[in-house]
Amino acid sequence: MTTKKKPSSKRSVTRRVAKKVSQETGVDPKVVREAINKEILARNAGKSLGYLSFAGILPVDLPDGTRIAVLPDIHVPAHDKLLLWAVKKFLKDFQPHILIFIGDVADVFALSRWGRPPRVSADMQYELDETRRLVDELMKISGCVHTFYIMGNHEDRIMRYLKDPATGVANILDPNTREPIMSFHGLMGYGKGDPVTFLYDLDERSGYGGAIVVNEDMEFHHGFIVRPKPGASPLADADRTGRSVSHGHTHRAGMVSRDMGHKTLRAYEFGHLTDPTHPYMGYANLLNNWRQAIGAGEIVGGKVHLQPLAVKPVKSTGGKLVNALVFNGQIYRASDR
Ligand SMILES: [Fe+2]
């Protein structure tokens, strides 16, 4: 007996979004997804096709009208739950086609090599489960066609932790995927066919080396150069490569540009979404100049146009100050409880 396979909810979401892209851009509804898949497959020639991870810098061509949302340094479970309420409302309205997690989505506090306060509990499985739950929720609520999850240095804590005492074990590959058995996305439970690509560095480690370059115009990576002033870190990065860059990592938010005559180098850093008072964030202090923010943008004229949306306190209906971000004339307030 043959049974007709029921389409998964993820696939129906993809179809709905593809239809929307088609209506807005006048191009084929499958363009965004096919462009991404083509790039992944072309650059993944050394492996069996279809893996959901990529090691190195992945070029991606996106058509005009594609909306992009960038979510920086969430550090689950040390994220600002009240602010995420506002971010979810923003994503629901904005409906980005592409969602970019730009690293440090998970804190991986349980495997930190830094000294841990003795009464602060740590549970790695809990961190993985909570991260997966939030990532899935944000992907679903945004209605995105595809998600890029760029590995941060915090995700790399897993591999560093294992490599130190047990390099031989850490280097064992999963027989089915030929990826390291302790890969972050494997531990999170993602598999082939999920609408997400995890970007690792060339050694298949997390942090620093994994990136996507959109339309040969803007590189998105987690970040590694750290300067004290907002905007200075990505600008130093852009000066190094001659390419416009967006990153997280520093937890500062800013944007600067440099006129090169024939082109304008743009440099963005997108802040963070952590709760600086959470016990896992013991290294947060005022001198860090941290700023909560996210990024929003759109492909216009083949170029990536972005803006950091910095979070600031506004009065709630009860007169209480709550954090909020503003986009397109709309205020997205954090929950006040
Ligand atoms: Fe971070």
Side-chain angles (χ1 to χ4, degrees), residues 10-11 13-15 17-18 21 28-41 60-63 66 97-98 144-148 192-197:
K10 269 178 197 156
R11 296 209 178 279
V13 166
T14 302
R15 271 204 299 275
V17 177
V21 176
D28 188 286
K30 293 177 183 164
V31 162
V32 178
R33 190 142 184 78
E34 281 178 359
I36 295 162
N37 285 342
K38 197 177 111 208
E39 292 298 337
I40 293 169
L41 296 179
V60 180
D61 292 322
L62 299 173
T66 305
H97 305 109
I98 299 295
C144 63
V145 180
H146 198 83
T147 294
F148 291 98
K192 192 174 167 182
D194 284 328
V196 51
T197 304

Side-chain angles (χ1 to χ4, degrees), residues 253-255 268-270 293-296 306-310:
M255 184 260 168
Y268 299 85
E269 54 189 339
F270 286 113
I294 60 172
L306 286 168
Q307 51 182 305
L309 308 179

